[in-house]
Amino acid sequence: MAFFNHNLTGAVTKELLASGYGANVSSISLTNTHATADCVVDLYMEKKLTTGKTFDASYGKFYILKGISIPAGVSLNHDFSFNNNLFGLFIKLGASTSKLDAIIT
């Protein structure tokens, strides 16, 4: 089982796992490491539209978590799986005070 660890701070959007990597994702743990502030999180998978295409229903963002507020010092564990050969995994933090650890297994 592989682990992918990320320390995130601030209002940021980050690709946690690039498409085509071939990882077998089974869960993610999100821990708000800020001492007092809540952290608002969007977690989504995204498949980019290929050059020359204007529309394809399988392309775009698909939210796993949207607008989830994680209190200071709290961890959220979420079980899910997706096709990492086709989709990348992204996270967006909502505030400049955000501090979050993400562990993908």
Side-chain angles (χ1 to χ4, degrees):
M1 176 184 311
F3 292 89
F4 304 94
N5 307 314
H6 299 273
N7 301 111
L8 305 159
T9 58
V12 64
T13 300
K14 179 172 173 114
E15 184 176 42
L16 299 177
L17 188 59
S19 65
Y21 187 81
N24 291 319
V25 174
S26 61
S27 67
I28 190 164
S29 174
L30 304 173
T31 301
N32 182 350
T33 59
H34 196 280
T36 58
D38 290 358
C39 182
V40 177
V41 177
D42 291 347
L43 180 70
Y44 59 92
M45 55 189 202
E46 183 173 12
K47 184 176 178 184
K48 304 281 187 189
L49 192 62
T50 56
T51 305
K53 286 197 171 200
T54 57
F55 176 77
D56 186 323
S58 68
Y59 289 79
K61 290 182 185 178
F62 300 92
Y63 285 90
I64 299 161
L65 302 171
K66 176 95 170 124
I68 299 299
S69 182
I70 302 172
V74 172
S75 294
L76 169 73
N77 296 307
H78 187 68
D79 295 332
F80 72 102
S81 63
F82 74 102
N83 187 344
N84 179 236
N85 289 314
L86 300 175
F87 292 90
L89 183 64
F90 293 80
I91 194 164
K92 179 180 177 185
L93 305 183
S96 61
T97 58
S98 298
K99 292 180 74 175
L100 187 87
D101 289 346
I103 302 172
I104 303 165
T105 55

